[in-house]
Amino acid sequence: MRPLMLLAFASTSLLAQPFSAGIKAGVPLTDFLSATENGTFNYTAPTQRYIIGGVAEVRLPLGFGVEFDALYRRLSYTGAGTLASDIFSTSTASGSNWEFPLLLKYRFHFPVVRPFVDAGVAWDTIAGLKETVTESGGAASPAASVSELQRNTTAGFVLGGGVDIHAIFLHISPELRYTRWNSDQISAVNLLHSNLNQAEFLVGFTF
């Protein structure tokens, strides 16, 4: 009888932990891609101005919590230059980039505005990356494969900090976040590569 009572108590305690969900949006403080030129072939990568996605959190005792995000940004780059046999080529690639951080969070004990720190791991996935190529003024044609794509997925570790503002039923959480990725996803002859160091300013709105 006692084990059953302990199990029921543990289950009730787990279900009683506050759960919140909402949206998270922000801007990158670093470029996802670094692009350079060598006079023969040049890459350019426009800065993506927004990040948006969903957030869910389970709050634990003693100020701790576990947060999971799914964050989206657009990815694109172009390349132009002279290839073998003096053929001028232009390529344009675009796709979606998804980031999935899993974080352990600690909130300091203040009444309304509560500073917090978080740390954890993240996975980054490039999806639907497609490239079109135009050679010497001809018609654009889809590439059979994206040569710059080295791997679709990588992982890294995350550090962050911010404040949690409790406004009646809404939590507003501005945050600075740093991610260090393990490996390049995109790379091309030292002219184009994905940045291993990533910084973001994010704001969460949870209920």
Side-chain angles (χ1 to χ4, degrees):
M1 187 66 179
R2 181 175 295 178
L4 291 176
M5 293 178 63
L6 291 175
L7 179 60
F9 176 77
S11 301
T12 303
S13 298
L14 181 61
L15 292 174
Q17 300 304 325
F19 174 82
S20 59
I23 62 172
K24 181 160 286 191
V27 294
L29 302 179
T30 56
D31 291 332
F32 183 79
L33 294 172
S34 290
T36 57
E37 54 187 56
N38 65 1
T40 302
F41 200 89
N42 306 325
Y43 279 101
T44 59
T47 299
Q48 305 305 311
R49 298 296 182 183
Y50 70 91
I51 303 167
I52 192 166
V55 54
E57 181 183 353
V58 176
R59 297 193 181 183
L60 305 175
L62 304 177
F64 288 97
V66 176
E67 178 180 322
F68 179 74
D69 305 332
L71 304 175
Y72 167 84
R73 79 179 84 198
R74 190 67 179 165
L75 165 69
S76 65
Y77 59 88
T78 60
T82 302
L83 302 176
S85 303
D86 294 329
I87 297 175
F88 186 82
S89 173
T90 302
S91 62
T92 302
S94 61
S96 300
N97 177 243
W98 286 93
E99 181 184 338
F100 301 100
L102 179 63
L103 307 172
L104 178 65
K105 178 183 289 188
Y106 176 76
R107 288 180 176 82
F108 296 91
H109 295 282
F110 289 90
V112 178
V113 178
R114 302 183 64 180
F116 66 84
V117 292
D118 51 29
V121 296
W123 297 267
D124 193 273
T125 297
I126 295 175
L129 186 63
K130 296 181 179 179
E131 186 174 38
T132 57
V133 179
T134 305
E135 294 185 352
S136 299
S141 58
S145 62
V146 182
S147 60
E148 297 88 354
L149 182 63
Q150 304 302 310
R151 56 187 60 82
N152 289 94
T153 302
T154 189
F157 69 85
V158 185
L159 296 172
V163 293
D164 182 356
I165 304 169
H166 189 192
I168 309 176
F169 61 88
L170 178 67
H171 285 267
I172 305 172
S173 304
E175 174 186 3
L176 289 174
R177 185 179 291 180
Y178 167 78
T179 306
R180 171 68 182 184
W181 300 110
N182 292 334
S183 56
D184 283 332
Q185 294 168 274
I186 291 176
S187 180
V189 199
N190 297 322
L191 296 178
L192 178 73
H193 65 89
S194 49
N195 285 321
L196 298 182
N197 297 296
Q198 175 182 298
E200 301 163 326
F201 173 72
L202 302 168
V203 182
F205 302 89
T206 56
F207 300 90

